[in-house]
């Protein structure tokens, strides 16, 4: 028993549960149960997902657990209950079947998993009830919050804007409220007075606040324009806080992951703004008069009409794809100011790292990476994309190698026969051990070797099946590559700006800007040279100056 590789898995759904340390009760109970079984639990076999929803299977600890189980590093897994695996019944079945194929025995502390039809039926019913319970909880929570907002309860807001302090139910004798912070309220009244009476712009307000050394809620003395703009639009300052300003929808596809965040967030949802007509108002203490608030809204509308800024949209070819290789922040397009142009027309702008803007970070610059001319970077990346599209022999070479590998692979039928014999042998070995024919010292090493052999054969069978399906598909692809290349050659040079942008966003995963080079990361890995006799390196991942002599300047 001590030779068994044991692991545990625990999960909580939201950040509030994570902060309340409810995950520790699960882990403690699982550790205690493993200890009572006389088993050892390594620290690296404790897989814990803090604050991750059970509605998605993409969770860091669960991903590591599945990888370790597939590699044969776990014999037995302990979980508190099935809904800690997933709230969706289909996801529960998928995980259980996956662990079963990997030879992992899954044990739930609240019930044992048997092999009878009745046990499977009970597990299915529990999974469907968990899924139904999650949907009902979300619906009741939504309806409860809407009802509380309609009757004017401040508790549904759960946080207060600048100028207020939120008092919860426990501190407020059973009723939540907003308390006015006098120092912050003075700053709020001053901001509204500057815009409503003095007709100042948001930029001028930020400059005045910075000169006066007024502190934000986080203690900074440099104010961001977005912060001031949100304050001027917040109806809570006139005494009517808004609930329901945003709504939640399924996660939208992302072009790339944000800095310091995973591609798949903890909550697989996206947030979108709701029109003000659908907001629900909750009475709170007012800091300014309603007339002053309306005057500010009129001034903001007038500022928008007079601003000589066009509608934002797709203005640059590589917008959203550029990432700084030094600090990890994104690059954005910045037009040349009239003073910098010195009266000359410029057909280009500059890509600039967000981390190099000191005003975004309290007056301190975080990154010193270079800014790049848009026309040079756009042309370099487009040439790399064209080089990939007009040379399909590179992809064909990869396809043919995979087809040849599939042809020389062992026969699938023979592997399946050996796999069936091994499984029968495992069943007979278990029966012999149960009947006392062999003892434990002889049983453990033999069952371990047989399970390892079964795992290896299953991997080989799966690889062959994948290769056979790939072979049929690749034969069709190889026959169409030349036709594809001809059509691409005819249209690449005449492609307009929107077509180029869509093709780049389809093929390029991201473009990393380093101090001395531009690294283009494709969604595929075309690293096989099209001509074996060509000794020059053809690494599409690097855009160097020597590969673009026509540009004349380093990127």
């Amino acid at each position: 028993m001590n030779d068994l590789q044991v692991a545990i898995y625990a999960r909580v759904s939201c950040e509030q549960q994570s902060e309340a340390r409810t995950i520790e009760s699960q882990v403690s109970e699982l550790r205690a149960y493993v200890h009572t079984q006389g088993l050892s639990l390594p620290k690296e076999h404790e897989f814990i997902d803090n604050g991750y929803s059970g509605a998605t299977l993409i969770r860091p600890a669960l991903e590591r657990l599945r990888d370790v189980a597939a590699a044969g590093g776990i014999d037995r897994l302990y979980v508190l209950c099935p809904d800690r695996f997933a709230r969706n019944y289909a996801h529960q079945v998928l995980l259980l079947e996956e662990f079963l194929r990997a030879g992992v025995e899954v044990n739930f502390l609240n019930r044992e998993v048997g092999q009878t039809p009745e046990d499977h039926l009970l597990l299915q019913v529990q999974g469907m009830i968990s899924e139904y319970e999650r949907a009902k909880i979300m619906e009741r929570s939504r309806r409860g919050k809407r009802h509380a907002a309609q009757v004017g309860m401040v508790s549904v807001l759960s946080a207060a804007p600048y100028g207020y302090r939120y008092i919860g139910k426990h501190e407020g004798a059973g009723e939540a409220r907003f308390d006015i912070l006098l120092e912050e309220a003075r700053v709020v009244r001053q901001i509204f007075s500057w815009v409503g009476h003095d007709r100042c712009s948001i930029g001028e307000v930020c400059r005045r606040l910075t000169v006066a050394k007024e502190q934000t809620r986080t203690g900074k003395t440099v104010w961001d324009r977005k912060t001031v703009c949100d304050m001027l639009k917040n109806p809570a300052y006139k005494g009517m806080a808004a609930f329901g300003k945003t709504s939640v929808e399924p996660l939208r596809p992302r072009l790339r992951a944000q800095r310091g965040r995973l591609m798949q967030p903890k909550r697989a949802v996206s947030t979108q703004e709701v029109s003000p007509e659908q907001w629900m108002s909750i009475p709170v203490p007012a800091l300014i008069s309603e007339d002053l608030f309306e005057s500010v809204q009129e001034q903001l509308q007038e500022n928008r009409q007079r601003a000589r800024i066009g509608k934002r949209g797709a203005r640059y070819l590589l917008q959203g794809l550029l990432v700084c290789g030094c600090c990890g922040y994104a690059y954005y397009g910045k037009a040349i100011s009239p003073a910098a142009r010195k009266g000359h027309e410029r057909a280009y702008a500059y890509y600039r790292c967000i981390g190099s803007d000191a005003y975004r970070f309290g007056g301190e610059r975080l990154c010193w990476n270079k800014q790049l001319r848009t026309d040079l970077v756009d042309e370099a990346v487009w040439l790399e994309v064209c080089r990939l599209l007009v040379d399909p022999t590179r992809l064909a070479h990869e396809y043919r190698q995979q087809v040849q590998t599939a042809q020389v692979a062992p026969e699938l039928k023979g592997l399946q026969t050996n796999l069936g014999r091994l499984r029968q042998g495992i069943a007979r070995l278990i029966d012999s051990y149960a009947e006392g024919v062999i003892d434990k010292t002889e049983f453990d090493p033999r069952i371990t070797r047989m399970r390892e052999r079964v795992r290896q054969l299953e991997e080989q069978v799966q690889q062959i099946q994948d290769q056979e399906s790939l072979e049929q598909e690749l034969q069709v692809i190889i026959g169409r590559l030349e036709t594809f290349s001809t059509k691409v050659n005819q249209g690449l040079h005449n492609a307009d700006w929107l077509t180029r942008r869509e093709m780049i966003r389809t093929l390029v995963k991201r473009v990393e800007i380093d101090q001395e080079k531009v690294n283009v990361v494709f969604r595929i890995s075309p690293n096989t040279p099209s001509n074996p006799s060509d000794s020059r390196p053809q690494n599409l991942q690097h855009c160097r100056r020597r590969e673009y002599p026509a540009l004349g300047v380093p990127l």
Side-chain angles (χ1 to χ4, degrees):
M1 294 293 290
N2 292 330
D3 296 335
L4 289 177
Q5 296 294 325
V6 180
I8 63 173
Y9 177 77
R11 179 190 64 82
V12 290
S13 300
C14 60
E15 296 292 343
Q16 289 82 358
Q17 290 177 321
S18 176
E19 294 174 358
R21 299 183 182 276
T22 57
I23 191 71
E24 294 183 357
S25 61
Q26 292 187 43
V27 177
S28 299
E29 188 173 352
L30 290 169
R31 289 173 179 169
Y33 186 83
V34 172
H35 182 70
T36 57
Q37 299 295 314
L39 301 172
S40 61
L41 179 62
K43 186 67 177 178
E44 59 271 13
H45 281 186
E46 294 182 358
F47 301 92
I48 302 172
D49 277 320
N50 252 331
Y52 280 85
S53 172
T56 176
L57 288 177
I58 305 178
R59 296 170 242 152
L62 183 61
E63 291 287 303
R64 296 196 307 270
L65 172 62
R66 296 169 71 180
D67 292 339
V68 175
I74 297 176
D75 298 318
R76 187 176 297 175
L77 175 66
Y78 290 97
V79 189
L80 186 64
C81 53
D83 61 1
R84 295 301 91 193
F85 255 160
R87 286 287 188 176
N88 189 296
Y89 167 67
H91 292 172
Q92 291 182 9
V93 174
L94 185 148
L95 291 174
L96 289 175
E97 290 183 352
E98 178 180 329
F99 287 125
L100 181 62
R101 288 196 304 268
V104 179
E105 178 186 348
V106 181
N107 293 274
F108 298 110
L109 266 61
N110 65 341
R111 64 176 301 275
E112 295 184 0
V113 180
Q115 299 299 325
T116 64
E118 291 79 7
D119 292 330
H120 287 294
L121 177 62
L122 179 59
L123 181 62
Q124 295 172 7
V125 171
Q126 283 186 337
M128 289 184 287
I129 290 177
S130 297
E131 187 174 354
Y132 170 76
E133 179 187 11
R134 177 179 180 273
K136 290 296 293 182
I137 290 174
M138 294 179 63
E139 177 62 19
R140 289 171 180 169
S141 176
R142 185 189 67 84
R143 293 183 61 85
K145 288 183 178 180
R146 288 183 60 86
H147 175 72
Q150 289 173 355
V151 299
M153 296 181 64
V154 181
S155 59
V156 297
L157 299 175
S158 70
Y162 185 84
Y164 297 98
R165 176 173 176 261
Y166 178 76
I167 305 297
K169 289 184 177 180
H170 298 287
E171 189 178 354
E175 184 177 358
R177 67 178 188 273
F178 280 1
D179 280 355
I180 297 177
L181 298 177
L182 297 180
E183 185 62 26
E184 293 185 359
R186 177 187 62 81
V187 178
V188 171
R189 295 189 182 100
Q190 184 65 73
I191 292 175
F192 275 88
S193 177
W194 282 338
V195 178
H197 295 158
D198 299 345
R199 303 300 179 183
C200 293
S201 64
I202 295 178
E204 177 62 23
V205 171
C206 293
R207 286 188 289 270
R208 292 186 180 186
L209 290 172
T210 303
V211 171
K213 301 295 182 181
E214 300 290 356
Q215 293 187 356
T216 65
R217 175 157 289 181
T218 58
K220 297 180 180 179
T221 57
V222 178
W223 289 71
D224 188 83
R225 299 190 182 195
K226 182 66 166 56
T227 302
V228 176
C229 182
D230 291 341
M231 291 174 60
L232 294 173
K233 295 179 180 179
N234 194 341
Y237 296 119
K238 68 175 182 178
M240 300 300 292
F243 173 79
K245 294 190 290 185
T246 58
S247 63
V248 175
E249 62 180 15
L251 183 65
R252 299 176 180 177
R254 296 184 175 184
L255 187 61
R256 59 174 177 81
Q258 297 179 352
R259 178 181 182 270
R261 298 185 182 181
L262 301 174
M263 194 61 154
Q264 179 70 22
K266 291 185 177 181
R267 298 184 64 216
V269 296
S270 295
T271 304
Q272 64 176 358
E273 296 183 354
V274 178
S275 60
E277 292 77 13
Q278 302 180 17
W279 296 356
M280 287 177 283
S281 299
I282 301 174
V284 295
L287 298 184
I288 60 173
S289 64
E290 187 172 353
D291 293 338
L292 179 58
F293 184 84
E294 296 301 330
S295 176
V296 168
Q297 305 311 308
E298 293 177 0
Q299 182 62 35
L300 293 178
Q301 181 63 26
E302 182 180 348
N303 293 345
R304 283 193 293 268
Q305 293 176 354
R306 293 187 176 184
R308 298 179 179 178
I309 301 177
K311 295 183 179 180
R312 288 191 176 273
R315 303 173 61 189
Y316 303 99
L317 189 65
L318 304 180
Q319 184 173 334
L321 290 172
L322 296 172
V323 181
C324 179
C326 298
C327 66
Y329 279 103
Y331 265 67
Y332 69 97
K334 183 177 181 180
I336 304 176
S337 63
R341 291 200 301 262
K342 298 180 179 179
H344 301 284
E345 290 294 332
R346 304 290 185 183
Y348 58 86
Y350 281 93
Y351 288 123
R352 180 179 175 87
C353 177
I354 290 179
S356 62
D357 293 336
Y359 73 90
R360 300 177 185 267
F361 307 98
E364 182 179 356
R365 184 172 180 175
L366 300 183
C367 182
W368 297 90
N369 205 353
K370 303 174 183 178
Q371 61 182 10
L372 310 176
R373 281 178 48 172
T374 56
D375 56 343
L376 300 182
V377 183
D378 293 348
E379 183 66 19
V381 175
W382 176 244
L383 288 177
E384 290 293 343
V385 172
C386 293
R387 184 180 300 175
L388 173 65
L389 292 176
V390 301
D391 189 11
T393 56
R394 183 176 307 164
L395 299 178
H397 182 73
E398 287 289 333
Y399 293 155
R400 291 191 180 94
Q401 282 189 341
Q402 296 186 24
V403 171
Q404 292 173 2
T405 304
Q407 292 175 351
V408 299
E411 291 294 335
L412 178 62
K413 185 176 180 180
L415 286 177
Q416 291 177 339
T417 302
N418 294 335
L419 186 59
R421 292 175 181 175
L422 272 176
R423 288 173 176 169
Q424 293 177 0
I426 290 176
R428 289 194 297 268
L429 185 62
I430 295 176
D431 293 340
S432 301
Y433 177 70
E435 295 173 359
V437 177
I438 59 176
D439 56 6
K440 184 177 180 301
T441 58
E442 186 180 1
F443 172 77
D444 286 343
R446 293 178 62 183
I447 195 69
T448 302
R449 290 194 300 269
M450 295 180 71
R451 284 179 175 176
E452 178 65 22
R453 181 58 180 164
V454 167
R455 185 185 65 82
Q456 295 175 357
L457 289 179
E458 287 178 345
E459 291 180 354
Q460 294 179 12
V461 169
Q462 185 63 37
Q463 291 176 0
I464 294 175
Q465 290 176 346
D466 294 341
Q467 289 172 349
E468 287 184 346
S469 61
L470 180 65
E471 179 182 358
Q472 299 175 358
E473 182 179 351
L474 296 185
Q475 292 292 353
V476 179
I477 294 176
I478 292 175
R480 297 180 179 178
L481 281 176
E482 295 299 331
T483 304
F484 170 75
S485 177
T486 303
K487 293 182 178 179
V488 167
N489 280 325
Q490 295 173 354
L492 281 181
H493 298 290
N494 299 326
D496 57 7
W497 187 88
L498 290 177
T499 303
R500 291 189 178 193
R501 181 172 180 269
E502 291 301 321
M503 294 180 68
I504 290 175
R505 292 165 71 93
T506 302
L507 297 176
V508 177
K509 187 175 183 179
R510 65 182 180 275
V511 181
E512 298 176 354
I513 309 297
D514 207 342
Q515 291 285 352
E516 302 296 336
K517 62 182 179 180
V518 177
N519 184 26
V520 183
V521 181
F522 287 94
R523 298 185 184 275
I524 58 177
S525 182
N527 51 11
T528 303
S530 58
N531 186 6
S533 61
D534 189 2
S535 59
R536 187 177 66 90
Q538 304 222 1
N539 189 353
L540 288 180
Q541 305 298 325
H542 302 282
C543 304
R544 307 179 190 275
R545 176 182 177 182
R546 64 175 179 269
E547 295 179 332
Y548 300 100
L551 298 181
V553 294
L555 296 180

